Amino acid sequence: MLHDPARHEALLPIAWDEARVRATLARIVDDTVAAFSPETLWPPHPRDLDPGDDPQVPFPGLYFGAAGVAWALDYLNAVGAAASPSFAPHVDRLLERHRAWLAAIPGDNAGSWLMGELPLQMMAWGHAPSQARADTIAALVADNIDHPARELMWGAPGSLLAAALMHRRCGDERWAVLFRRIARRLREQLVWSERQRCHYWPQDLYERRVRHLDAVHGFVATARALLAGRHLLADDDWAEWQGCIETTIANTAIRADGQATWPVQADEPPGTPQKWLMQFCHGAPGFVVCLADLPGHALDPLLCEAGEATWAAGPLAKGSNLCHGTAGNGYAFLVLHARTRDARWRDRARAFAMHAIAQFDAETAQAGRLRHSLWTGDIGLAIFLWDCLRERAAFPTLDVFFGDQPQPRSTR
């Protein structure tokens, strides 16, 4: 068994109900808009607070804070999923509050993707492009190149993704230059594992030396960023990267009975006790999502095995969210539907969507309020429901950032 049963629950036998899906999406958006205050933003949910946090002080950033919720509402409005007022007038104030929050954290983290100032500057630029704002974004990307956390949330791979998204939006060569510069530096920082015959990145994260493989802090998250801008690399460079990605993903996989997942860390000795996580941020679902755009078919059988492991595990007991919840796992099925055109994966995504709605209803009734967060809360579920309706995998802030901007999905 490749998952911990205690972390999962049985899938509820709820038939796909488009009307209920649309009603839930609209409810989340309407309640989220109504809960906003320019002064207090959105109140933090108890499950998003660490010990010692002030429950009256909202987090202003992207990952589980006000910027992420504002981004999601503007995105859903832009793609025609649900109408809401623009949050553009509030972004600069969010930036000010976010800088104050960052100032209390050791290190220079302004250029990080999920937790830093960088995505807020990109939100502001997206609403009102200017040369000055673009210069600020470019400086944040460049200054993050040697961050000791070589992963998506804090480190250079997140800045790599930002450069790819900026180039996709406006085509300015400066973003291609930055992308190639960061990719070159990341290539220099790879370490070879004799044990697993593949490359990985060691990193300093939360005062620990780690070798993560996962979809937020690890190797496959960096692969996601590289895939977003692979067209900016020379053919030979991309061929080398693709070989590296395919080898590491194949050689670190744990496979059993037609299913597959990955350990938390690379280069672990045989027999190392595993923490059997099966969620976007650690485990098979995140690998499938991050490799959605991988060209060719070399890893398709392995990715399908990862999908089978995700399905066998069932919905996550932690709730309906993206990062470590049922909606995030459901995105793996949408990706596999896009790659294989097998309707079974679409139906599995929709089954997880209906279960996630039931989880949302139960938790909201118990708490008496919504959980206002993109990656850990209800607005992320709303985006997953929209993608189930349109049968398209576009994971928020990884696959799509600038509203209704078309996103390439070629894997051939």
Side-chain angles (χ1 to χ4, degrees), residues 187-205:
R187 187 71 184 86
E188 295 167 353
Q189 294 168 329
L190 281 167
V191 171
W192 177 256
S193 167
E194 280 294 335
R195 182 180 292 114
Q196 293 180 305
R197 307 298 297 173
C198 65
H199 287 96
Y200 66 93
W201 282 283
Q203 54 175 298
D204 297 319
L205 183 66

Side-chain angles (χ1 to χ4, degrees), residues 62-392:
L62 184 75
Y63 173 69
F64 61 89
V69 180
W71 177 89
L73 289 169
D74 283 342
Y75 169 72
L76 287 168
N77 187 57
V79 298
S84 65
S86 173
F87 282 83
H90 304 288
V91 175
D92 280 329
R93 178 62 180 135
L94 283 175
L95 265 165
E96 293 175 14
R97 296 173 74 155
H98 190 262
R99 286 196 189 110
W101 178 84
L102 272 179
I105 297 177
D108 182 2
N109 299 301
S112 75
W113 182 235
L114 294 179
M115 302 297 280
E117 176 182 329
L118 176 60
L120 280 74
Q121 290 285 0
M122 289 172 60
M123 288 168 62
W125 179 89
H127 288 301
S130 71
Q131 188 62 49
R133 188 81 71 175
D135 290 345
T136 298
I137 295 168
L140 289 170
V141 169
D143 290 347
N144 208 45
I145 189 170
D146 282 314
H147 195 288
R150 301 179 189 114
E151 46 86 82
L152 193 69
M153 181 172 277
W154 298 98
S159 306
L160 184 76
L161 178 62
L165 291 167
M166 289 295 293
H167 186 271
R168 188 185 298 171
R169 181 65 170 181
C170 67
D172 191 324
E173 180 63 16
R174 79 151 85 180
W175 307 113
V177 171
L178 281 168
F179 185 92
R180 289 190 285 267
R181 179 184 167 198
I182 300 171
R184 184 166 55 249
R185 183 69 178 123
L186 286 168
R187 187 71 184 86
E188 295 167 353
Q189 294 168 329
L190 281 167
V191 171
W192 177 256
S193 167
E194 280 294 335
R195 182 180 292 114
Q196 293 180 305
R197 307 298 297 173
C198 65
H199 287 96
Y200 66 93
W201 282 283
Q203 54 175 298
D204 297 319
L205 183 66
Y206 305 133
E207 300 182 346
R208 295 175 56 221
R209 188 72 168 169
V210 295
R211 308 175 305 279
H212 285 309
L213 287 166
D214 58 70
V216 174
H217 296 306
F219 181 93
V220 78
T222 303
R224 166 67 264 172
L226 287 161
L227 283 161
R230 69 180 188 270
H231 59 289
L232 303 177
L233 300 172
D235 290 347
D236 288 349
D237 289 339
W238 171 247
E240 185 175 356
W241 273 119
Q242 182 162 347
C244 172
I245 291 167
E246 290 178 351
T247 300
T248 296
I249 297 304
N251 289 10
T252 56
I254 301 171
R255 307 172 85 163
D257 301 322
Q259 300 175 21
T261 192
W262 284 263
V264 173
Q265 301 203 62
D267 203 35
E268 293 187 326
T272 300
Q274 294 297 327
K275 191 174 183 180
W276 295 108
L277 300 175
M278 187 67 67
Q279 55 201 42
F280 176 84
C281 53
H282 291 288
F287 281 73
V288 176
V289 173
C290 285
L291 297 173
D293 295 332
L294 186 70
H297 300 280
L299 290 185
D300 280 6
L302 181 57
L303 296 180
C304 286
E305 290 179 23
E308 293 294 350
T310 304
W311 179 250
L316 280 149
K318 281 189 173 182
S320 60
N321 68 82
L322 294 175
C323 191
H324 34 262
T326 302
N329 284 20
Y331 263 109
F333 304 139
L334 288 177
V335 165
L336 290 171
H337 179 243
R339 287 190 72 92
T340 67
R341 306 317 303 174
D342 185 339
R344 171 183 50 142
W345 296 114
R346 178 205 59 202
D347 294 344
R348 288 179 173 184
R350 289 178 165 180
F352 267 43
M354 298 309 298
H355 188 102
I357 289 173
Q359 290 179 308
F360 161 76
D361 287 341
E363 181 164 339
T364 303
Q366 181 178 13
R369 51 157 294 179
L370 269 65
R371 188 175 183 180
H372 300 299
S373 162
L374 173 55
W375 277 69
T376 65
D378 300 322
I379 199 68
L381 168 62
I383 296 174
F384 173 61
L385 296 179
W386 172 248
D387 283 348
C388 284
L389 286 166
R390 62 181 184 163
E391 301 181 20
R392 176 184 171 192

